Amino acid sequence: QQQVKQSPQSLIVQKGGISIINCAYENTAFDYFPWYQQFPGKGPALLIAIRPDVSEKKEGRFTISFNKSAKQFSLHIMDSQPGDSATYFCAASTAQAAGNKLTFGGGTRVLVKP
Amino acid sequence: NAGVTQTPKFQVLKTGQSMTLQCAQDMNHEYMSWYRQDPGMGLRLIHYSVGAGITDQGEVPNGYNVSRSTTEDFPLRLLSAAPSQTSVYFCASRALNPYEQYFGPGTRLTVT
């Protein structure tokens, strides 16, 4: 059972364009929503994270939008660059879960064309 | 400060063989975990530990054992490898607060 559903599986965007990745979750107890970036042959690295008490968080060209009522959150990459080409994972966790386990979405492979 | 290290980087096993994937962290993090990554499945939690001497099962624990004798090390053991265990394995660590997890570089395992 996949509690966090991520879409699309892959996307291609031109340099300077906007990349948008969406995630939906089922467990209303989730209270921490991070996004990870993974380059080929490397481990995932935390990109940006949000908690449900805010609707949007921006760090540089990366923005998380959060819709608590719809149980959805999304990552926007503005002014996409070829160096942003990577696989992106959304995840969710709850402070109530033993060990604060992260549940990951299936990943989105992003290719930014120059 | 090396962060999270994993060995080996690559491994090929025959069905039925056993092996241990090593993981170490030098950040004095209490929480460590093992994930496997398969195409389209994201990362799935195998086992985790909230401190030395304490381990628990994650989402896909069958076929894997762990132990945590020190804060730094968290090895993952495959007792009898199966082709279904072909995957990329990531170890991660974090402090109990904040939530940020640091991942190792991964071990690519192939079971034939």
Side-chain angles (χ1 to χ4, degrees):
Chain A
Q1 179 188 6
Q2 191 173 22
Q3 294 190 46
V4 179
K5 295 185 178 181
Q6 184 172 346
S7 63
Q9 286 188 311
S10 63
L11 68 92
I12 301 172
V13 62
Q14 293 292 326
K15 178 181 176 182
I18 302 174
S19 304
I20 301 174
I21 306 169
N22 299 300
C23 285
Y25 63 95
E26 299 168 5
N27 187 347
T28 55
F30 286 145
D31 61 359
Y32 173 70
F33 302 90
W35 285 88
Y36 283 82
Q37 181 187 54
Q38 184 181 29
F39 294 105
K42 305 292 185 182
L46 180 66
L47 185 64
I48 186 173
I50 197 169
R51 293 187 183 273
D53 53 346
V54 297
S55 61
E56 185 175 282
K57 183 175 181 179
K58 184 177 182 180
E59 289 185 4
R61 296 183 292 106
F62 299 90
T63 300
I64 299 179
S65 298
F66 184 79
N67 186 330
K68 188 174 182 178
S69 61
K71 294 187 287 185
Q72 294 177 346
F73 58 110
S74 61
L75 176 70
H76 292 63
I77 307 174
M78 313 300 287
D79 187 26
S80 297
Q81 300 296 312
D84 297 331
S85 297
T87 299
Y88 294 81
F89 293 94
C90 62
S93 182
T94 166
Q96 304 304 317
N100 304 125
K101 295 175 286 185
L102 277 175
T103 300
F104 284 85
T108 298
R109 184 170 294 182
V110 174
L111 176 63
V112 182
K113 289 194 168 183
Chain B
N1 190 334
V4 180
T5 58
Q6 292 183 238
T7 56
K9 291 184 71 68
F10 302 95
Q11 183 70 49
V12 178
L13 291 178
K14 295 186 185 304
T15 297
Q17 288 185 317
S18 63
M19 78 159 297
T20 299
L21 280 62
Q22 301 292 343
C23 174
Q25 54 93 7
D26 61 0
M27 297 173 281
N28 201 33
H29 285 167
E30 298 94 338
Y31 182 75
M32 297 186 73
S33 53
W34 277 101
Y35 293 86
R36 60 177 289 172
Q37 183 176 30
D38 302 291
M41 303 291 288
L43 290 96
R44 292 181 292 169
L45 184 65
I46 303 172
H47 285 285
Y48 67 97
S49 169
V50 298
I54 306 170
T55 64
D56 205 347
Q57 297 180 349
E59 182 183 356
V60 287
N62 292 340
Y64 308 95
N65 280 349
V66 293
S67 60
R68 183 99 179 267
S69 57
T70 67
T71 299
E72 295 78 20
D73 301 298
F74 190 44
L76 178 71
R77 284 183 288 275
L78 284 72
L79 298 179
S80 179
S84 61
Q85 294 178 305
T86 294
S87 186
V88 182
Y89 291 85
F90 289 99
C91 179
S93 77
R94 55 172 275 256
L96 287 179
N97 187 30
Y99 284 15
E100 179 174 356
Q101 288 209 47
Y102 295 85
F103 284 83
T107 294
R108 183 174 294 273
L109 175 67
T110 301
V111 183
T112 61

